[in-house]
Amino acid sequence: MARRCLFSILLVALTTTIAFAQAEPQPMPIGGSPSGASDSSLQWRNPGASVPSRVDTSVQPANFASAPSAPAATTPPAENVSKSGTLLKVTSGLKELPNDAGQVWRDYDLTPYTSRVTTTAKPEQAIIDWILRETGTDVWFGEPLGMLHANKNTLRVYHTPQMQEVVTDVVTKFVDSQAEVKKLGVRLVTVKSPNWRRLAYRMMQPVSVKTPGIEAWLMSKENAAILLSELRQRSDFREHHAADLLIHNGQSSTIAMLQPRVFVRGVRATQTFPGYELQSDQIEEGFSMEVSPLLTPDDRMIDAVLKCSVDQVEKFVNVDVDVPTAGTGRQAVDIQIPQMVSWRLHERFRWPSEQVLLISCGVVARPQSGIATSPQLPSIPLLPQSPPRADGLMFVEFKGDAKTGAGTPVPTAQPAAIDSRGRY
């Protein structure tokens, strides 16, 4: 009986101990972190195990416990401001070219043309120029997205299929011609009186011109020869330039007959005797002409851009200016203000190659250089001399393929400097 009672007491004690052990709370991690934290350094360890050092920045010292908490800093919306202070936003862009308008990429082989042009270092520039003349420049810098790039071997174009057809037509004229050398006759003459039209109108067919004051006509080569013969019999006729230009198809040729006119344009003070220095400048007086023809593969139609300019100094207006001298006095020196008259022609014409294009620039400044085919009236020195004026006429005629082979350097076809101003 005693054994049974002792066994019952031990059983009750054991049950109480197990229940107390189950009711005891589980240990919490150090620093109040959740028990599921992944950092093993914050968990309970066996007695005697080393605990790694850790600085808990979330717990403040006791002397700061009563300090009022600082208000949270309000961060303004971040603007895209670079170190230089600009609001420019630059991103890496798209990984693919957009083709929302159906743009396609095309590569055009230019080597059949560019490999034969020896008169300029960048023959592909002429192809780009003619494409921009045909399409305009806005289509490459607006919507839809377009790209135009060329080197000596390849022309790369990214645009709509309709624009690709226009580019193909232009490039075909260059490539199929294989840079053949064309002969273009250009003649610049002046007639003092515009009454030559009185008998010539019956032989000419008018052509539309956009530049105010410029007129143009087409005529047969026979009628052009008759008109030129009649003009040479006039006393006010003068021929300034007549030459056959040898030009690679699509390239440009420049003719210039200029002479410098030096004048004193200003004065500035100096530290040396006499205390001032005259500043000189010069004006290129005369005329220059640039011709860029592009013929179809069958040579039946010619498309040409003509640029002509004439600058003439009527007189220099003298103005006396007081300048300081090395002494106490002042001295007056003359500076010269040029009084000039100029005219410009920049037009694009398209006409059948068997006809002659005649352009009239109106009564404008006449180039000083030239050859008169009839006796001129002598000028009387006692009468006031006025600057020469005349009706400027330009004859442009296609004379077929040149005898020079394609790719042979042409002395008369000088490459023009690459300049985007006024090209299109």
Side-chain angles (χ1 to χ4, degrees):
M1 184 67 178
R3 291 180 178 179
R4 184 177 297 178
C5 292
L6 181 61
F7 180 77
S8 298
I9 293 172
L10 293 175
L11 181 61
V12 171
L14 180 61
T15 304
T16 304
T17 303
I18 294 173
F20 180 81
Q22 291 178 351
E24 186 177 356
Q26 297 293 330
M28 296 295 293
I30 298 176
S33 299
S35 60
S38 61
D39 192 352
S40 60
S41 64
L42 302 181
Q43 305 298 326
W44 286 99
R45 290 174 172 80
N46 296 327
S50 61
V51 179
S53 62
R54 175 183 176 92
V55 178
D56 191 356
T57 58
S58 63
V59 179
Q60 299 208 0
N63 57 348
F64 288 98
S66 60
S69 60
T74 58
T75 304
E79 293 181 338
N80 186 24
V81 181
S82 65
K83 296 180 179 180
S84 60
T86 180
L87 295 176
L88 175 64
K89 183 178 181 180
V90 181
T91 61
S92 59
L94 302 175
K95 295 183 179 180
E96 295 181 359
L97 292 175
N99 60 346
D100 51 341
Q103 298 99 311
V104 292
W105 186 285
R106 294 288 183 268
D107 287 348
Y108 299 85
D109 183 18
L110 305 180
T111 53
Y113 176 83
T114 55
S115 61
R116 291 174 170 84
V117 177
T118 58
T119 56
T120 179
K122 298 183 67 176
E124 68 276 8
Q125 184 63 46
I127 302 178
I128 295 179
D129 293 345
W130 277 101
I131 291 176
L132 296 180
R133 291 177 184 131
E134 193 69 25
T135 63
T137 57
D138 294 340
V139 299
W140 303 102
F141 303 104
E143 293 291 342
L145 174 68
M147 296 177 60
L148 181 65
H149 171 269
N151 55 33
K152 199 167 185 178
N153 299 323
T154 307
L155 172 69
R156 295 180 173 89
V157 182
Y158 183 72
H159 219 287
T160 60
Q162 295 78 9
M163 194 60 60
Q164 295 284 0
E165 293 179 2
V166 178
V167 173
T168 301
D169 293 339
V170 175
V171 178
T172 300
K173 295 178 182 178
F174 283 88
V175 174
D176 288 356
S177 68
Q178 296 184 346
E180 294 177 349
V181 181
K182 307 296 182 180
K183 182 185 295 185
L184 198 70
V186 179
R187 190 181 303 270
L188 178 63
V189 303
T190 56
V191 182
K192 189 173 183 180
S193 175
N195 60 5
W196 60 269
R197 294 170 170 81
R198 187 177 303 165
L199 299 177
Y201 257 94
R202 54 184 172 84
M203 299 185 295
M204 302 185 302
Q205 176 185 355
V207 176
S208 176
V209 183
K210 296 181 180 180
T211 306
I214 305 296
E215 294 182 274
W217 303 270
L218 289 177
M219 61 178 61
S220 64
K221 294 185 178 182
E222 294 78 9
N223 289 335
I226 295 174
L227 176 60
L228 190 59
S229 178
E230 293 178 354
L231 292 177
R232 286 192 176 119
Q233 299 176 9
R234 297 172 58 108
S235 60
D236 57 352
F237 173 85
R238 178 170 291 186
E239 189 169 21
H240 301 274
H241 178 81
D244 292 338
L245 303 180
L246 305 181
I247 312 174
H248 288 284
N249 190 31
Q251 295 294 320
S252 299
S253 178
T254 302
I255 307 166
M257 298 182 65
L258 303 172
Q259 57 182 359
R261 294 284 300 273
V262 182
F263 65 100
V264 179
R265 66 176 179 87
V267 60
R268 66 184 182 92
T270 61
Q271 299 297 329
T272 59
F273 182 83
Y276 64 90
E277 180 183 21
L278 298 178
Q279 295 178 308
S280 299
D281 201 350
Q282 70 177 20
I283 296 176
E284 298 291 336
E285 187 182 39
F287 81 93
S288 64
M289 180 168 49
E290 180 181 341
V291 184
S292 179
L294 180 62
L295 285 93
T296 56
D298 56 3
D299 288 349
R300 292 187 177 182
M301 296 295 296
I302 180 172
D303 201 347
V305 175
L306 304 177
K307 295 175 62 176
C308 187
S309 63
V310 173
D311 296 309
Q312 182 186 77
V313 179
E314 291 187 318
K315 63 178 180 179
F316 289 103
V317 181
N318 294 329
V319 178
D320 55 337
V321 179
D322 291 337
V323 295
T325 59
T328 58
R330 302 183 67 88
Q331 181 178 353
V333 296
D334 288 341
I335 62 174
Q336 298 174 312
I337 311 300
Q339 179 177 324
M340 299 184 60
V341 59
S342 306
W343 60 270
R344 300 287 186 269
L345 168 67
H346 188 183
E347 283 283 341
R348 176 181 174 181
F349 299 95
R350 181 180 176 88
W351 73 96
S353 58
E354 71 272 6
Q355 293 184 317
V356 178
L357 177 67
L358 173 60
I359 304 172
S360 171
C361 301
V363 180
V364 292
R366 187 186 71 184
Q368 296 290 352
S369 59
I371 301 174
T373 57
S374 298
Q376 303 290 307
L377 295 176
S379 59
I380 303 177
L382 298 179
L383 297 178
Q385 299 292 322
S386 60
R389 299 286 186 269
D391 190 359
L393 303 177
M394 185 185 304
F395 293 83
V396 183
E397 177 184 359
F398 175 63
K399 297 186 176 181
D401 295 336
K403 301 300 182 181
T404 306
T408 304
V410 184
T412 58
Q414 300 296 330
I418 297 177
D419 183 9
S420 60
R421 297 182 178 179
R423 178 182 287 138
Y424 314 118

